[in-house]
Amino acid sequence: MAAYVGRFAPSPTGPLHLGSLYTALASYLDARANNGRWLLRIEDIDPPREIPGAANTIIQQLASHGLHWDGTVLYQSQRLPAYTEAAQALAHRGLTYACQCSRSRLLPMHGIYDGHCRPLNKTRASARTRASARVSSGAIRVCVEACRPISWQDIFHHACHYDLAQLSGDFVIVRRDGLFAYQLAVSVDDAFQDITHVVRGDDLLDSTPRQIFLLRQLKLPVPVYGHIAVINNSAGQKLSKQNRTPAVTIATPGANLEWCLNKLGMPVPGDMTGAPVEDLLTWAVHHWMPEHVPTGSISVDDG
Ligand code: GLU
Ligand code: ZN
């Protein structure tokens, strides 16, 4: 098996909060416990959602928690030619088409596209190789019509199966505003960075089959996936910038790590409490047990 390469891939939509630190830590520990490399990728391809300075804040937060990555940081904003190339490769194979559906037409579909524009545009979109996928009218979708159900063996969830036709239908790879969709960029870059293991929050579980589909269509290797439960607030909502979850403070990195380790099913022994972050992480790497990580919903308040 190829040597382990993991990654943390935050979007700079705000500073890390405890929920994202928890995910970063799980991905770090799984990589280091497997003698793996651990890379950092800033997913800055959605300017309307980004907050100036957030990428640097995240970098500083990771470093102050002792979560040191290997190599240089990859910024997705520097990778647009690679996404264009991937979109073109899919178009050349006749797998994509332009979708002009209005928001009001899409709304009642609840994210499961009905394929309306597929017969109208498929041949046109594939014949016309866009010099840049950004010059677009409407979104570009990839056709999942002939796709069989997608399965993978998850590190934390065991066997997962999804049928893309029911999950999403033909999904967007280039948005109507010309920006590349997360699904395309993340797939291209996981392959580009030779990622072998993706450990992330289970809010992305239903993105994984789309990414496996794209990787297969692009003839790129498919990594091993592991999805851990995301942490909810007391109201049962995922901790996120949207519900104003506070940023993790770099003033108390040890306490923050201990909190996350506790939630990961690894209570820190009394004699380690207050230890430097390097010592906490060394201890955690040695004691990492993926099978002890809770998979049900976790709340900030329970312990
Ligand atoms: N950038 C995505 C996010 O912050 C996560 C990407 C991933 O881990 O695949 O939600
Ligand atoms: Zn459409």
Side-chain angles (χ1 to χ4, degrees), residues 162-279:
Y162 283 91
D163 184 345
L164 280 180
Q166 286 164 23
L167 176 76
S168 62
D170 299 345
F171 61 92
V172 171
I173 57 163
V174 184
R175 292 162 26 171
R176 70 165 80 207
D177 58 10
L179 297 176
F180 291 100
Y182 156 69
Q183 308 294 354
L184 181 72
V186 76
S187 307
V188 168
D189 284 341
D190 281 337
F192 175 67
Q193 294 188 288
D194 295 319
I195 301 301
T196 62
H197 290 71
V198 171
V199 172
R200 61 185 173 193
D202 66 5
D203 54 325
L204 291 168
L205 253 183
D206 66 2
S207 286
T208 300
R210 284 173 261 196
Q211 293 165 23
I212 293 175
F213 172 79
L214 289 175
L215 288 166
R216 285 183 186 158
Q217 296 303 328
L218 292 165
K219 306 212 174 348
L220 294 170
V222 176
V224 173
Y225 293 93
H227 295 85
I228 61 166
V230 296
I231 300 182
N232 295 319
N233 64 18
S234 47
Q237 303 159 312
K238 177 195 164 191
L239 295 188
S240 69
K241 294 123 200 172
Q242 287 71 34
N243 51 44
R244 297 199 211 94
T245 306
V248 291
T249 165
I250 59 172
T252 58
N256 299 336
L257 286 179
E258 285 177 30
W259 186 90
C260 292
L261 288 168
N262 201 34
K263 294 286 183 196
L264 283 169
M266 315 175 61
V268 175
D271 62 348
M272 291 288 301
T273 318
V277 290
E278 287 73 21
D279 296 355

Side-chain angles (χ1 to χ4, degrees), residues 97-101 105-106 113 116-117 141:
Y97 60 88
C99 167
Q100 321 282 355
C101 292
R105 202 179 168 271
L106 295 171
Y113 186 62
H116 175 78
C117 296
R141 292 182 183 273

Side-chain angles (χ1 to χ4, degrees), residues 33-45:
N34 286 285
N35 291 315
R37 287 162 52 76
W38 189 65
L39 309 184
L40 177 60
R41 177 166 76 230
I42 300 291
E43 303 212 317
D44 54 346
I45 45 157

